[in-house]
């Protein structure tokens, strides 16, 4: 298959696979890299020069968080939660979207118009607001200790997937209805083909290629949504609040999963003092989205637009070259006479 032989496909995908593999391996092999760092740094003369969070010059390569933990290894450890959750959310969206789309495509016109009217109304509400309203009570329950972090993460994955299924299903359903207007589908219906046969023989082969492209697009859209709800302190696995301070309690957010949106969210208040604490997880998001968009763009060109790379055939010295000026084989010309003799 031409996709699996393309360097343009494997370069961004390979980077994401290496990032995921390192996210599982590094915390197991080197668990000390995720432990809190020194409470302060001293110079050679024994003078105090810095305290957490450390800058990139004080702790390579990307500085530290407010506990002195190396930010690079922290984000590397949280990559598995961010990327795998985005993949699972995109997969649930595609499964639910195609099931909803098939049902939507075969509904009568009055039912389809009613569903479309309700769906178009909710399209004006940002998904981040809907996710915030649905997940805020669960975040409060998590802070109170009523729900565990992993269970909260599972619920968040399903909620973030479900809120997109209606709009995605209506889009897929409209595309299916347009495809069902083709003459060969109408002929199949006239000779008695069932809906299951039409789905199996006509819709499935046509939309299987679209599904791969849409799946990669849904992953990048999920990452965008995780950034937006992360700013609202709704993160995968939840945020815990710990109180610091001597005279009065100062609440600070912490995450059990260390996923990228949580790392950005709990440091958002220090964006002007310690910019790298927010920009570094955003950079991880940006690079991942760039890789996924490149894979999506390549799949779209190959599967939908059919822009296959063409290899030029080399003509050998003994290879036959067809003549450019070919005579019409059905034109009879007398070879032994000139034009004057023909007249």
């Amino acid at each position: 298959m031409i996709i699996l032989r393309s360097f343009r496909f494997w370069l961004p995908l390979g980077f994401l696979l290496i990032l995921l593999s390192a996210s599982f391996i590094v915390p197991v092999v080197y668990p000390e890299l995720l432990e809190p760092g020194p409470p302060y740094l001293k110079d050679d003369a024994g003078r105090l020069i810095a305290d957490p969070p450390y800058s990139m010059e004080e702790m390579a390569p990307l500085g530290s968080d407010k506990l002195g933990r190396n930010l690079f290894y922290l984000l590397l450890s949280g990559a598995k939660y961010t990327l795998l959750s985005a993949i699972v959310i995109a997969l649930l969206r595609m499964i639910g979207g195609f099931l909803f789309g098939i049902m939507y495509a075969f509904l009568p016109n009055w039912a389809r118009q009613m569903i479309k009217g309700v769906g178009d109304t909710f399209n004006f509400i940002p998904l981040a607001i809907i996710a915030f309203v649905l997940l805020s009570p669960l975040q409060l329950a998590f802070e109170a200790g009523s729900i565990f972090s992993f269970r909260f993460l599972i619920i968040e994955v399903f909620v973030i997937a479900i809120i997109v299924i209606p709009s995605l299903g209506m889009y897929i359903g409209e595309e299916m209805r347009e495809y069902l207007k083709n003459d060969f589908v109408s002929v199949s219906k006239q000779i008695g083909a069932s809906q299951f046969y039409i789905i199996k023989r006509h819709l499935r082969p046509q939309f299987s290629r679209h599904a791969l492209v849409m799946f990669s697009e849904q992953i990048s859209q999920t990452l965008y949504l995780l950034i937006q709800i992360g700013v609202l302190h709704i993160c995968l696995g939840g945020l815990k609040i710990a109180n610091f301070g001597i005279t009065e309690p100062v609440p600070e957010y912490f995450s059990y999963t260390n996923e990228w949106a949580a790392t950005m969210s709990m440091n958002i208040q220090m964006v002007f003092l310690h910019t790298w604490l927010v920009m570094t997880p955003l950079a991880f998001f940006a690079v991942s989205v760039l890789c996924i968009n490149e894979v999506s763009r390549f799949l779209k060109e190959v599967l939908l637009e059919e822009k296959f790379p063409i290899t030029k055939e080399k003509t050998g010295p003994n290879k036959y070259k067809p003549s450019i000026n070919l005579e019409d084989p059905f034109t009879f010309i007398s070879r032994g006479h000139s034009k004057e003799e023909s007249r």
Side-chain angles (χ1 to χ4, degrees):
M1 192 175 182
I2 191 171
I3 296 177
L4 300 180
R5 298 196 304 266
S6 175
F7 178 77
R8 182 182 167 189
F9 173 77
W10 281 110
L11 181 61
L13 185 61
F15 174 80
L16 295 177
L17 291 176
I18 293 173
L19 186 62
L20 274 175
S21 302
S23 180
F24 283 99
I25 296 173
V26 171
V28 176
V29 179
Y30 304 102
E32 66 276 2
L33 296 176
L34 301 177
E35 296 179 357
Y40 50 83
L41 294 179
K42 294 182 179 181
D43 57 8
D44 297 335
R47 292 175 298 183
L48 182 66
I49 59 174
D51 61 341
Y54 300 119
S55 64
M56 299 181 183
E57 293 80 9
E58 295 165 347
M59 180 175 286
L62 299 175
S64 76
D65 65 349
K66 49 196 168 186
L67 293 180
R69 297 177 296 179
N70 193 298
L71 191 59
F72 174 77
Y73 296 112
L74 205 66
L75 294 173
L76 189 63
S77 174
K80 55 181 176 289
Y81 295 102
T82 304
L83 296 179
L84 290 181
S85 297
I87 292 173
V88 173
I89 291 171
L91 184 61
L92 292 175
R93 286 181 179 182
M94 294 303 302
I95 294 174
F98 268 91
L99 292 177
F100 190 94
I102 292 173
M103 180 190 68
Y104 180 87
F106 290 97
L107 284 176
N109 290 331
W110 65 269
R112 192 177 66 257
Q113 292 298 329
M114 183 178 63
I115 295 175
K116 186 177 180 180
V118 176
D120 291 341
T121 302
F122 280 95
N123 286 336
F124 291 97
I125 304 176
L127 290 176
I129 302 299
I130 299 176
F132 175 76
V133 172
L134 295 176
L135 295 175
S136 290
L138 295 175
Q139 172 62 31
L140 296 176
F142 173 74
E143 294 176 4
S146 302
I147 187 173
F148 296 105
S149 179
F150 184 74
R151 181 178 296 180
F152 186 28
L153 187 147
I154 298 297
I155 296 174
E156 285 179 303
V157 167
F158 278 95
V159 170
I160 295 174
I162 289 173
I163 61 177
V164 182
I165 287 177
S167 59
L168 180 62
M170 285 190 295
Y171 170 76
I172 296 175
E174 290 292 341
E175 294 294 326
M176 288 182 176
R177 284 190 61 83
E178 291 297 324
Y179 184 77
L180 292 175
K181 294 179 181 179
N182 288 315
D183 294 336
F184 56 86
V185 180
S186 301
V187 172
S188 298
K189 292 180 180 179
Q190 292 175 1
I191 63 178
S194 63
Q195 292 183 357
F196 178 77
Y197 180 87
I198 293 174
I199 294 171
K200 181 179 178 181
R201 294 297 182 183
H202 296 293
L203 293 180
R204 184 182 63 83
Q206 173 66 20
F207 286 90
S208 59
R209 295 181 298 174
H210 291 73
L212 291 175
V213 178
M214 294 178 64
F215 175 66
S216 58
E217 292 175 348
Q218 287 299 317
I219 296 176
S220 61
Q221 292 179 12
T222 302
L223 293 177
Y224 285 129
L225 182 59
L226 292 180
I227 297 174
Q228 295 172 5
I229 64 176
V231 176
L232 301 174
H233 295 294
I234 301 295
C235 306
L236 297 175
L239 293 176
K240 274 291 185 182
I241 296 180
N243 291 320
F244 293 87
I246 300 175
T247 57
E248 59 182 7
V250 179
E252 294 285 352
Y253 285 102
F254 292 95
S255 172
Y256 288 125
T257 60
N258 295 321
E259 62 101 8
W260 297 344
T263 307
M264 177 195 68
S265 177
M266 63 189 186
N267 297 309
I268 195 70
Q269 296 179 350
M270 296 187 291
V271 63
F272 297 108
L273 296 177
H274 309 289
T275 310
W276 72 89
L277 291 177
V278 178
M279 296 305 297
T280 302
L282 282 178
F284 273 72
F285 269 114
V287 173
S288 300
V289 171
L290 177 64
C291 293
I292 295 171
N293 287 344
E294 183 59 31
V295 173
S296 177
R297 192 178 300 110
F298 175 77
L299 291 176
K300 185 176 181 180
E301 292 178 0
V302 174
L303 297 178
L304 302 184
E305 300 176 0
E306 297 183 353
K307 293 182 179 180
F308 298 98
I310 301 175
T311 56
K312 296 182 179 180
E313 296 183 358
K314 296 182 180 180
T315 305
N318 298 326
K319 190 173 181 179
Y320 170 73
K321 296 182 180 180
S323 176
I324 297 177
N325 298 323
L326 295 178
E327 296 179 352
D328 188 354
F330 299 100
T331 302
F332 299 95
I333 300 176
S334 177
R335 299 290 184 180
H337 303 282
S338 62
K339 293 183 179 180
E340 288 80 5
E341 292 175 346
S342 315
R343 294 177 183 175

